[in-house]
Amino acid sequence: DSGVTQTPKHLITATGQRVTLRCSPRSGDLSVYWYQQSLDQGLQFLIQYYNGEERAKENILERFSAQQFPDLHSELNLSSLELGDSALYFCASSVGSGDLYEQYFGPGTRLTVT
Amino acid sequence: GNSVTQMEGPVTLSEEAFLTINCTYTATGYPSLFWYVQYPGEGLQLLLKATKADDKGSNKGFEATYRKETTSFHLEKGSVQVSDSAVYFCALSPYNTDKLIFGTGTRLQVFP
């Protein structure tokens, strides 16, 4: 158990809908990362927050947004869902910012868009 | 740009066999290199890392050496166990960033 929790574990929804994925980082970790794992694109970085502020962003569609709240949990919002958004979404957290800090991954949320 | 290429799987081995999973990278500057492991139904776990050329990362009998001249970071283990069956991801973190760029993953299956 990495100490990173993600809810829900599974999500099945229809095209055009909107969903929210939630991540609680390990206690004391200030950085949160979101990654998407799909058959087409593999495992790719989406966005990073550090202590409530966006630090880096890549590969993230305009239909997707994220935020990190004052209690450091993070949410990834996916809207106008398409079949291609079906994937496993991982959250990771680290104590600080920088590659010296290990990223701890949660178990993921599996999103299925039908 | 930055990218990671690793060998296609699955890699199928008998217990106690020697393991090599090849990984090469393309990067600007001096990236850090990582191997992550993903067991069924779980998130990724850091297996080992190396932050500069010629560094050797090691953990649980696995080793990998950062080779700048060949831009490689091959994963090796002298004697695999059934419990090592998992998907292994090679990754890099570009210089001065936190994001991880992953290879496609290599599934390892170890049979008794």
Side-chain angles (χ1 to χ4, degrees):
Chain A
D1 184 351
S2 66
V4 178
T5 59
Q6 291 187 247
T7 56
K9 283 184 79 90
H10 302 279
L11 201 46
I12 301 174
T13 189
T15 53
Q17 295 298 303
R18 172 189 168 93
V19 297
T20 297
L21 313 184
R22 182 188 169 101
C23 169
S24 293
R26 294 186 323 150
S27 177
D29 283 2
L30 298 178
S31 267
V32 169
Y33 312 78
W34 286 97
Y35 292 85
Q36 179 195 57
Q37 185 177 31
S38 67
L39 289 176
D40 291 344
Q41 303 293 329
L43 186 55
Q44 59 180 10
F45 168 79
L46 296 178
I47 196 164
Q48 177 200 2
Y49 283 85
Y50 177 74
N51 204 19
E53 294 194 4
E54 183 182 303
R55 179 62 66 96
K57 185 166 65 175
E58 198 169 294
N59 305 308
I60 192 163
L61 301 170
E62 283 195 16
R63 301 183 284 108
F64 294 5
S65 65
Q67 55 183 322
Q68 186 180 28
F69 294 87
D71 67 352
L72 301 177
H73 91 272
S74 178
E75 292 181 357
L76 179 66
N77 299 295
L78 316 176
S79 62
S80 303
L81 285 167
E82 301 175 0
L83 295 177
D85 298 328
S86 296
L88 195 50
Y89 291 85
F90 286 109
C91 170
S93 72
S94 64
V95 169
S97 180
D99 61 16
L100 292 180
Y101 298 100
E102 178 177 346
Q103 292 186 30
Y104 292 84
F105 281 75
T109 292
R110 183 170 294 282
L111 173 65
T112 302
V113 182
T114 62
Chain B
N2 300 295
S3 66
V4 175
T5 302
Q6 58 182 109
M7 60 191 287
E8 293 274 336
V11 173
T12 304
L13 295 173
S14 298
E15 209 166 21
E16 299 184 4
F18 184 85
L19 169 71
T20 300
I21 301 178
N22 291 335
C23 171
T24 57
Y25 68 90
T26 302
T28 52
Y30 304 97
S32 294
L33 302 175
F34 306 81
W35 277 100
Y36 278 82
V37 59
Q38 184 178 27
Y39 297 101
E42 297 183 16
L44 283 79
Q45 300 173 28
L46 178 64
L47 183 58
L48 53 85
K49 72 176 186 182
T51 57
K52 61 183 190 296
D54 300 325
D55 267 3
K56 178 187 281 190
S58 61
N59 185 24
K60 299 180 183 179
F62 291 90
E63 292 182 342
T65 302
Y66 189 144
R67 301 281 188 207
K68 192 168 184 297
E69 63 276 11
T70 55
T71 61
S72 65
F73 192 56
H74 304 321
L75 182 68
E76 296 182 338
K77 186 176 185 184
S79 175
V80 294
Q81 305 300 311
V82 172
S83 58
D84 294 326
S85 299
V87 180
Y88 292 80
F89 291 90
C90 185
L92 70 82
S93 181
Y95 178 71
N96 219 26
T97 75
D98 300 346
K99 68 180 180 185
L100 292 167
I101 295 171
F102 289 92
T104 52
T106 302
R107 181 174 301 278
L108 170 65
Q109 297 173 321
V110 181
F111 292 95

